[in-house]
Amino acid sequence: MSQMTMIQAINSALDVMLDKDPTVILLGEDIGYFGGVFRCTDGLQKKYGEHRVIDAPIAEGGIIGSAIGIGVNGLRPVAEIQFADYIYPGLDQIISELARLRYRSGGDYFSPVTVRTPCGGGIRGGQTHSQSPEALFTHLSGINTVMPSNPYDAKGLLISAIESDDPVVFFEPKRIYNGPFDGDPDKPALAWSSHPGGDVPEGYYSIPLGEAAVVEEGDDLSIITYGTMVHVAQAAVKKAGISADIIDVRSLVPLDVETLKQSVEKTGRCLVAHEASKFGGYGAELTATVQEECFWHLQAPIERVTGWETPYPHAFEWDYFPGQDRILAGIRNVLEAV
Amino acid sequence: MTENSSLHIPRPSARPGDEPDFSYLALSEAGAVRYPDPCTPAKDIEHLAGDLVRVLDDDGVAQGEWAPEIEPAQLLEALRLMLLTRQLDDRMHRMQRQGKISFYMQSIGEEAISVGQGMVFKPTDMMFPSYRNQALFIQRGTDIVDLMCQCLSNTRDMCKGRQMPIMYHDRKANMFSISGNLATQYPHAVGWAMASAIKGEDHVSSAWIGDGSTAEADFHYALTFAAVYQPPVILNVVNNQWAISTFQGFAGGQRRPFAARGQGLGIPGVRVDGNDLLAVYAVTRWAVERARNCGGPTLIEHVTYRGGAHSTSDDPSRYRPKDEWSAFPLGDPVKRLKQHLIKSGHWSDEQHEALNQELKETVTAAWKEAISYGTMNDAPSLDVRSMFDDVYKEVPERLKRQRQQLLDIKGAKS
Ligand SMILES: Cc1ncc(C[n+]2csc(CCOP(=O)(O)OP(=O)(O)O)c2C)c(N)n1
Ligand SMILES: [Mg+2]
């Protein structure tokens, strides 16, 4: 075991896979010589060479499109998109090609591409460095979508994503790259060494896609969330002085329905939280799934706590971000409903 | 698996610790390139995409057929705008370092492009800038207080606090809203010019893009539409040699100049010394004349160098030699224009120093005024309710409810 930030854990996952599997290739803007704008690929080009850790032109559609071709020709590409906000020029390649190649070719062709990309707000990035577009990807058939909330999960899940023959879009919540964040920007920053998820094995291990993590156990309600919001939910529950199941979905697709079901059947009350806006967001899917699976156990309407339905504003970052106060208000609604 | 790789990986001529090496840059002598009639068919002037139009020679003397006729007063004004921009950049960079603004991008070394081109366009022409065109805003009349207020996200911010610093716009000055997503403005400029042509007007549009961003598909869409419909648009590639850590070879610059990108489509390309205000002005005038008199697009590559870091989040000493700019063969645009004006008897070192001092004070006074409209931490502040405005023309019911929810939560807290 050693202490790692999420950046180091991601770097370690890439390192382990480059070492273990000679077909793994990294491709992305500024990832090679420079080591990435967030340093996730720091040192990897030096270690594995320019032919395996490859700097790319500024063309997200080109990166994903060529990654598909690289994958079809027997290599295993891991593409980095510098910010999730910049993945859109690659959307056609993801939606029309990557997600459907296996299906449309009757199973004869596939491309095991992993697309890594930092997402989420909290770094004063304004509307073009703060987005959480996961719902655009969870809506697709043929692609898996992952978002870890701590270094340990990030490494284990990224290794599974790379090993998977199905394509994965892997979101990295950048606000928690260097430490857990409970939603209060005025508090001093915490280090990952203060969190159990900061203990990360040096070598190979994997966490299967499709398994949620029960982060905390309790009886009053179930909070279903992922990414940065896991930490915000934990802080809110503590503040409320209640006992709640907090479920970190981790793998948005495939979704671990069973874990959600067990929890909500136990508590009878459910709150869903994410940073992305509400309408048509991934929370709608979680809410519908819980309703389908647990309707007869529910004692209150399911509550959603999300970003507002506006672009992410620069000046009002913390009014946009669904922080502890909004979760507390949501908890009150769920608990007070008869 | 990769031991036998034959993939070509572009390598810059120098990395940290190496001697800067610009031997890859094809240069022409000042005055060497002939000036063709602006309506010459594209196929007869293909050499302009590979040559380098230069007017100012090493001694600061204007040479050759491209040397424009500009009144000294206009050149002095251009020098003033370039110096003002540099003072503004210096100030804002320091304010970011002090935590007063969240982010900044300087344009050091690229000021001649915005200012020289700005002198050619009319107020009715439409500009689609990138994030390194602050001098173009200033040239077209945007108050530097307004630029500062945008960076502060304060009560006078034209973006109402919605965008990161430097993502300005100015409707009155016909300066389009800057996007954080690279290259998207290129097709917009072409579309704007198409509308100008459809409406039978003689307004032109112009867009700026970095060398690195030419790799984006939007750049190529724009060229195709410009070639197909021949609208009056001036498309600029600002080749400052670097994207962030990747040099222009990662956008295909090792094979053919960026100015030649349109040639396969029949779009004339001109490669110009972007640090020579006279050359930039002359080439832009040529392209605008072409657009207005014979219609059609021109692609201009401005050869320059990014004198500063990519942004305040960047540390260029990690990927390029520290002293690379000082070895850049096309020098510093401010120094070159100053030298020219001194040489021609219109300027002196003393006047230059005095002007610089005056502009420094102008910027200090502007900053004082800007922060009186609020900062990220100090009142006055924008009204949080405004966050829900302008998503749509009218605020929909859903958003009104969310706005109330936010107010309730904030009210409960305070
Ligand atoms: C679509 C998109 N991809 C990536 C980025 C991140 N990014 C911002 S600026 C930049 C480099 C641009 O280089 P260049 O086009 O040469 O412009 P310069 O900064 O040199 O003026 C990158 C990669 C972005 N803003 N948008
Ligand atoms: Mg550049």
Side-chain angles (χ1 to χ4, degrees):
Chain A
M1 281 291 179
S2 64
Q3 288 294 332
M4 292 191 199
T5 65
M6 190 173 319
I7 290 170
Q8 290 164 334
I10 287 162
N11 185 282
S12 172
L14 297 169
D15 189 3
V16 163
M17 289 310 294
L18 281 160
D19 183 56
K20 180 167 184 275
D21 179 352
T23 68
V24 170
I25 298 280
L26 272 45
L27 184 67
E29 295 161 17
D30 299 295
I31 69 158
Y33 185 87
F34 189 51
V37 296
F38 289 104
R39 323 256 10 109
C40 287
T41 53
D42 194 21
L44 296 178
Q45 186 182 73
K46 207 164 201 173
K47 189 162 174 191
Y48 297 98
E50 290 172 306
H51 295 258
R52 293 193 67 198
V53 181
I54 308 175
D55 276 314
I58 302 171
E60 293 74 14
I63 290 170
I64 293 167
S66 56
I68 294 172
I70 290 170
V72 167
N73 198 357
L75 301 178
R76 195 163 283 270
V78 184
E80 175 179 303
I81 300 298
Q82 204 162 79
F83 284 86
D85 316 61
Y86 302 140
I87 203 167
Y88 309 124
L91 271 193
D92 187 38
Q93 285 292 343
I94 294 178
I95 296 174
S96 313
E97 305 301 316
L98 188 58
R100 300 193 208 149
L101 180 58
R102 187 186 294 279
Y103 189 77
R104 79 169 189 230
S105 67
D108 288 339
Y109 282 106
F110 73 99
S111 187
V113 177
T114 302
V115 181
R116 293 180 36 242
T117 189
C119 69
I123 63 154
R124 276 270 178 208
Q127 47 123 28
T128 55
H129 300 84
S130 308
Q131 295 165 45
S132 295
E134 64 273 12
L136 296 179
F137 301 90
T138 58
H139 189 60
L140 306 175
S141 309
I143 210 152
N144 290 326
T145 305
V146 174
M147 193 189 299
S149 72
N150 62 67
Y152 180 85
D153 285 0
K155 179 170 173 181
L157 289 165
L158 182 55
I159 288 177
S160 285
I162 297 170
E163 287 183 325
S164 168
D165 280 348
D166 287 323
V168 178
V169 178
F170 190 90
F171 287 103
E172 302 168 1
K174 60 178 114 54
R175 174 67 212 213
I176 54 173
Y177 262 155
N178 287 309
F181 174 65
D182 72 1
D184 183 351
D186 298 326
K187 267 202 208 148
L190 287 176
W192 274 116
S193 53
S194 69
H195 188 281
D199 281 335
V200 181
E202 300 271 1
Y204 174 92
Y205 67 94
S206 66
I207 299 173
L209 305 187
E211 287 183 11
V214 182
V215 177
E216 270 178 34
E217 286 190 70
D219 302 314
D220 297 337
L221 83 161
S222 306
I223 299 182
I224 306 174
T225 185
Y226 50 91
T228 306
M229 293 302 291
V230 171
H231 305 277
V232 184
Q234 283 183 282
V237 162
K238 199 162 164 203
K239 212 181 225 173
I242 55 161
S243 118
D245 268 2
I246 299 178
I247 297 170
D248 177 358
V249 177
R250 304 195 293 195
S251 165
L252 280 56
V253 179
L255 174 64
D256 179 358
V257 176
E258 197 47 42
T259 297
L260 308 189
K261 190 172 167 220
Q262 277 172 16
S263 172
V264 178
E265 283 183 354
K266 177 183 72 175
T267 63
R269 294 172 195 265
C270 178
L271 180 148
V272 167
H274 58 53
E275 225 183 299
S277 57
K278 185 188 247 179
F279 198 92
Y282 184 68
E285 186 56 45
L286 289 172
T287 305
T289 302
V290 169
Q291 187 275 142
E292 282 164 5
E293 298 291 330
C294 314
F295 182 79
W296 302 108
H297 295 267
L298 284 172
Q299 296 164 38
I302 302 166
E303 182 81 13
R304 274 186 286 165
V305 178
T306 67
W308 308 119
E309 286 158 20
T310 76
Y312 219 118
H314 178 256
F316 299 118
E317 176 156 56
W318 301 116
D319 291 305
Y320 181 94
F321 186 89
Q324 290 180 34
D325 293 332
R326 301 237 289 273
I327 298 198
L328 283 170
I331 289 175
R332 241 173 283 128
N333 285 346
V334 185
L335 292 187
E336 283 165 15
V338 267
Chain B
M1 190 65 80
T2 50
E3 301 79 61
N4 299 320
S5 171
S6 64
L7 206 66
H8 172 71
I9 307 289
R11 289 224 183 105
S13 57
R15 284 296 194 184
D18 298 340
E19 280 295 308
D21 176 6
F22 287 103
S23 57
Y24 68 87
L25 267 187
L27 303 174
S28 310
E29 288 293 318
V33 181
R34 303 290 310 265
Y35 180 95
D37 182 89
C39 286
T40 311
K43 65 174 178 9
D44 298 334
I45 44 171
E46 292 197 342
H47 62 91
L48 287 179
D51 298 343
L52 187 69
V53 175
R54 302 178 67 187
V55 171
L56 293 175
D57 67 15
D58 290 346
D59 299 321
V61 179
Q63 301 286 358
E65 296 175 8
W66 285 91
E69 278 173 27
I70 311 185
E71 291 298 316
Q74 268 190 289
L75 289 180
L76 287 170
E77 172 62 6
L79 185 68
R80 191 183 76 80
L81 294 174
M82 287 164 69
L83 281 175
L84 175 60
T85 305
R86 206 165 273 193
Q87 288 291 351
L88 173 74
D89 276 354
D90 179 60
R91 179 86 198 198
M92 297 310 278
H93 183 81
R94 283 187 288 119
M95 294 304 96
Q96 194 280 339
R97 286 292 180 260
Q98 291 177 20
K100 304 273 199 260
I101 59 174
S102 61
F103 177 84
Y104 195 69
M105 290 175 111
Q106 297 182 301
S107 62
I108 298 179
E110 303 177 27
E111 298 92 340
I113 300 163
S114 286
V115 173
Q117 297 202 274
M119 290 162 71
V120 177
F121 294 113
K122 293 185 183 167
T124 44
D125 294 335
M126 183 73 189
M127 309 288 108
F128 292 83
S130 91
Y131 46 72
R132 252 185 256 284
N133 287 120
Q134 43 267 58
L136 186 61
F137 280 89
I138 298 173
Q139 210 281 334
R140 287 174 72 86
T142 308
D143 189 339
I144 59 169
V145 174
D146 284 314
L147 299 180
M148 290 172 166
C149 288
Q150 194 281 333
C151 292
L152 285 158
S153 277
N154 69 14
T155 56
R156 194 173 140 176
D157 169 10
M158 81 277 287
C159 303
K160 302 184 192 166
R162 311 239 171 89
Q163 291 240 63
M164 267 173 86
I166 63 99
M167 304 290 179
Y168 320 109
H169 65 270
D170 187 342
R171 180 100 203 232
K172 283 199 304 296
N174 271 340
M175 295 292 291
F176 194 58
S177 158
I178 298 173
S179 173
N181 299 60
L182 296 171
T184 51
Q185 71 277 18
Y186 240 56
H188 301 161
V190 172
W192 195 96
M194 286 167 64
S196 178
I198 291 168
K199 295 196 285 180
E201 295 171 349
D202 76 341
H203 309 315
V204 309
S205 70
S206 192
W208 286 261
I209 197 172
D211 48 294
S213 306
T214 62
E216 292 282 4
D218 279 342
F219 173 77
H220 301 272
Y221 298 148
L223 291 191
T224 303
F225 278 63
V228 169
Y229 296 113
Q230 296 289 303
V233 60
I234 317 301
L235 297 168
N236 302 286
V237 176
V238 179
N239 178 4
N240 61 10
Q241 313 306 316
W242 291 91
I244 301 179
S245 70
T246 49
F247 77 115
Q248 40 91 28
F250 273 97
Q254 276 183 323
R255 309 277 151 220
R256 299 271 284 132
F258 292 94
R261 288 292 183 278
Q263 281 184 348
L265 292 157
I267 297 176
V270 187
R271 194 165 161 266
V272 62
D273 176 346
N275 292 1
D276 174 344
L277 181 116
L278 296 181
V280 168
Y281 173 87
V283 165
T284 308
R285 250 188 66 164
W286 181 92
V288 170
E289 249 179 85
R290 185 178 175 93
R292 286 204 219 276
N293 300 337
C294 4
T298 300
L299 181 65
I300 303 175
E301 173 185 352
H302 305 263
V303 180
T304 183
Y305 187 83
R306 193 189 80 211
H310 171 71
S311 73
T312 47
S313 313
D314 177 41
D315 172 12
S317 70
R318 296 180 94 121
Y319 54 78
R320 66 182 194 185
K322 273 209 174 81
D323 52 346
E324 209 180 41
W325 190 29
S326 56
F328 187 61
L330 302 177
D332 172 340
V334 171
K335 287 190 187 144
R336 287 178 65 194
L337 186 59
K338 174 188 167 198
Q339 182 196 29
H340 171 68
L341 284 165
I342 290 176
K343 194 93 185 176
S344 53
H346 301 290
W347 198 234
S348 69
D349 278 317
E350 296 71 39
Q351 283 172 305
H352 193 83
E353 206 23 68
L355 176 62
N356 222 357
Q357 198 49 43
E358 179 196 321
L359 293 174
K360 199 176 201 159
E361 283 155 24
T362 305
V363 169
T364 301
W367 176 257
K368 277 210 184 103
E369 183 183 350
I371 57 176
S372 75
Y373 298 101
T375 71
M376 286 202 299
N377 306 315
D378 303 311
S381 317
L382 285 164
D383 185 341
V384 72
R385 283 173 295 193
S386 72
M387 179 174 139
F388 297 88
D389 296 340
D390 304 316
V391 181
Y392 298 93
K393 189 171 172 188
E394 312 284 346
V395 182
E397 277 310 313
R398 279 184 73 82
L399 281 184
K400 284 186 187 157
R401 278 201 300 276
Q402 293 184 13
R403 183 167 64 192
Q404 192 54 50
Q405 254 176 293
L406 172 63
L407 292 177
D408 290 347
I409 282 168
K410 284 178 87 78
K413 201 179 173 189
S414 59

